[in-house]
Amino acid sequence: MMGAEPFEADVVVVGTGPGGATVARELARAGRRVLLLEKGRSERGTALYGTYLGALRYTERGGFLFTPEGIQLVIPSMVGGATGMFAGCAAEPPPWLQQRYGIHLERETTETIEELQIAPLPPEYRGTASTRLAETANALGYEVYPQPKFMRPERATRFDCGAKCFLGCRCGAKWNAASYVDEAIQQGARLLTQARVERVLIEEGQVVGVAGRWQGKPFVARAERVVLSAGGLGTPRILQASGFEGVGERLAMDVTVIMYGVSRERGNAADPPMSWSWHDEELDAMFSPLVDPCLLYPIMAGMSGVRYVGSWRRWRNLLGIMIKLRDTLSGQITPDGRVSKPLTPGDSKRLEAAKQKARRILVKAGADPNTIFASPLRGTHPSATVRLGEMVDTQLQTAIRGLYVCDASVFPEALGRPTVLTIIALAKRLARQSDFYGSPGIEAGTGRASARVAGE
């Protein structure tokens, strides 16, 4: 590429979310020359981080990206990726990942839980209203449990966690993958921010690097190993632009809705989000107490119906229950980057049943039945766009030698649960496998990557 800024490394890692940050840290610790590329900037510590104005800046389309079917997508772009704006929830990898796909992550999961001290919040921090909702759900027959968290109140100078922490954690209680990036840099890795990777460079079936624009100028980064960790939407877009066929066809989102009702008592808006959870096995759905941030709430309420906007003045009295549906693969990411995600008839039926169950809990917990409504749909975990067993093998390598994928896009199915712990475990497994350092070859696992590059 004429005039492009050249860089060289042993491994190029694209994206600094939980997958990319973990891979980079592991490889840098092992003495590899690692180049980390992030299209966003480092937002921690800036005046706007964790504010409404900040969220407008560091999310794709200001957080108002919608599929044609009306599903909202909030895609952060910053060092640390989605962990800069997540609820800090942790869940171990689903058993079916091992049973159906042969992916063993027990060691990496246990190690991460111990290292990051993942655990439920102490009882005094779980919130009065959230606990009331949990107790109501328990009385109705659900097995309610305190939600494990990447969150430690003692890390904060003043623990101040409520709905606003979805904009970014300003008190410092939540773990952020950016801390792994810091460790990688301390071990010798190099980080380029505002580096937008546009395509992968391939020669004779072997990856040789990536190309894109860095701070507005063309650049090329050369390496014999490339790990794409740009997220469930970002990674397939890069692969599509690189000529890969089949990626982005059908995807999962863990489709989510929040059921709201106004109570006479104080609601859970000021509580730490999702401090309790419970599952409905029949509906394959997760429930958890959750309320939108104050200035976002009237927008979401208005999208559900103008008559609901008035409940904003009683925001502190809102009771909110999130429903996360483990959705069926459907839709696509088109080559021009647009995302379509229709709900299947079965998913729609399960979601409606879940709304009715959430409504019953809200009423039992003290919500006025006449105030209850459902928020617009959201896609909280875009994933399964470069699926394991189809487009990457069990070692997460594509059909191109030396090109790996490590983020939510490799999930073969929707997780229907918090994803970050599973991604970290996958990243540790990838970075530590001997085949990653040796002669690349996609026959290493039990599943062979099948996606092909046009013209190969």
Side-chain angles (χ1 to χ4, degrees):
M1 181 181 292
M2 294 296 293
E5 181 77 24
F7 298 96
E8 289 190 358
D10 295 330
V11 183
V12 168
V13 179
V14 181
T16 60
T22 303
V23 168
R25 185 184 75 150
E26 294 293 320
L27 295 179
R29 281 177 166 181
R32 305 291 165 173
R33 292 184 305 150
V34 178
L35 177 62
L36 260 170
L37 302 175
E38 168 58 53
K39 72 175 182 179
R41 295 181 287 189
S42 181
E43 300 288 349
R44 292 171 301 161
T46 64
L48 291 180
Y49 180 59
T51 67
Y52 293 95
L53 286 177
L56 290 173
R57 184 181 76 181
Y58 47 70
T59 57
E60 191 169 338
R61 297 189 190 177
F64 292 95
L65 171 64
F66 290 87
T67 71
E69 299 81 15
I71 299 177
Q72 182 192 19
L73 301 172
V74 178
I75 310 299
S77 179
M78 67 178 89
V79 175
T83 61
M85 296 180 72
F86 78 147
C89 295
E92 295 189 25
W96 53 256
L97 199 57
Q98 175 181 329
Q99 296 163 358
R100 294 203 287 269
Y101 299 94
I103 303 298
H104 294 261
L105 298 172
E106 298 91 338
R107 180 170 66 93
E108 294 83 1
T109 299
T110 299
E111 175 188 294
T112 304
I113 290 172
E114 293 175 353
E115 175 195 351
L116 299 180
Q117 296 180 290
I118 295 170
L121 289 171
E124 63 270 25
Y125 290 109
R126 294 173 193 167
T128 301
S130 293
T131 300
R132 187 165 81 248
L133 287 168
E135 290 171 347
T136 302
N138 187 68
L140 291 174
Y142 284 103
E143 294 184 10
V144 180
Y145 57 90
Q147 175 64 55
K149 290 279 192 176
F150 288 88
M151 185 186 295
R152 304 267 46 90
E154 63 271 18
R155 286 202 290 255
T157 52
R158 184 174 74 89
F159 186 63
D160 182 26
C161 186
K164 62 184 180 298
C165 81
F166 272 105
L167 306 171
C169 179
R170 292 177 70 89
C171 77
K174 278 190 295 189
W175 176 82
N176 188 323
S179 64
Y180 275 9
V181 174
D182 294 340
E183 292 182 45
I185 293 171
Q186 292 169 4
Q187 295 294 325
R190 182 177 183 183
L191 169 66
L192 297 183
T193 58
Q194 297 178 269
R196 182 178 293 273
V197 172
E198 296 172 342
R199 60 190 177 90
V200 177
L201 302 177
I202 302 166
E203 295 178 1
E204 298 180 356
Q206 165 73 47
V207 72
V208 295
V210 299
R213 301 188 72 81
W214 176 45
Q215 298 180 345
K217 298 179 181 179
F219 83 96
V220 168
R222 294 197 170 273
E224 291 186 354
R225 298 288 187 280
V226 171
V227 180
L228 296 181
S229 298
L233 301 182
T235 289
R237 287 168 173 168
I238 294 171
L239 291 173
Q240 286 177 335
S242 305
F244 279 72
E245 299 173 342
V247 298
E249 295 178 1
R250 299 186 303 139
L251 65 155
M253 284 193 178
D254 285 348
V255 173
T256 297
V257 67
I258 302 177
M259 293 293 293
Y260 282 118
V262 179
S263 169
R264 291 185 178 181
E265 299 181 66
R266 190 179 181 91
N268 56 307
D271 293 350
M274 302 176 65
S275 55
W276 299 89
S277 293
W278 58 97
H279 283 82
D280 188 299
E281 300 298 333
E282 178 186 2
L283 299 177
D284 210 354
M286 172 184 176
F287 296 77
S288 194
L290 181 63
V291 171
D292 275 310
C294 184
L295 296 185
L296 177 61
Y297 173 78
I299 299 174
M300 307 311 292
M303 292 174 61
S304 295
V306 176
R307 65 186 181 277
Y308 301 122
V309 177
S311 59
W312 183 29
R313 61 187 174 84
R314 301 187 66 187
W315 180 75
R316 293 190 178 278
N317 294 88
L318 284 173
L319 291 175
I321 296 178
M322 178 213 71
I323 303 167
K324 188 185 299 294
L325 193 75
R326 184 168 179 261
D327 55 317
T328 307
L329 299 182
S330 64
Q332 64 176 330
I333 301 174
T334 59
D336 61 4
R338 289 181 293 177
V339 182
S340 172
K341 174 61 182 178
L343 289 186
T344 66
D347 286 350
S348 296
K349 183 177 180 180
R350 288 190 294 125
L351 183 58
E352 289 306 312
K355 289 179 182 179
Q356 293 305 312
K357 293 192 175 185
R359 178 185 179 89
R360 184 182 177 197
I361 294 169
L362 289 171
V363 172
K364 287 280 188 180
D368 181 347
N370 295 320
T371 66
I372 295 176
F373 71 97
S375 76
L377 296 179
R378 308 166 203 213
T380 50
H381 303 144
S383 59
T385 48
V386 190
R387 290 182 292 279
L388 188 152
E390 296 181 33
M391 302 160 204
V392 296
D393 67 11
T394 54
Q395 308 306 317
L396 305 188
Q397 187 171 198
T398 70
I400 297 301
R401 296 188 303 275
L403 176 60
Y404 298 80
V405 176
C406 189
D407 54 30
S409 63
V410 304
F411 296 162
E413 308 170 25
L415 256 61
R417 62 178 64 196
T419 62
V420 172
L421 181 54
T422 298
I423 295 172
I424 293 173
L426 282 169
K428 287 184 174 182
R429 176 180 178 270
L430 169 63
R432 295 169 181 177
Q433 66 189 31
S434 59
D435 288 339
F436 190 80
Y437 302 108
S439 177
I442 64 172
E443 300 289 354
T446 59
R448 179 183 174 88
S450 60
R452 291 285 180 256
V453 181
E456 283 290 316

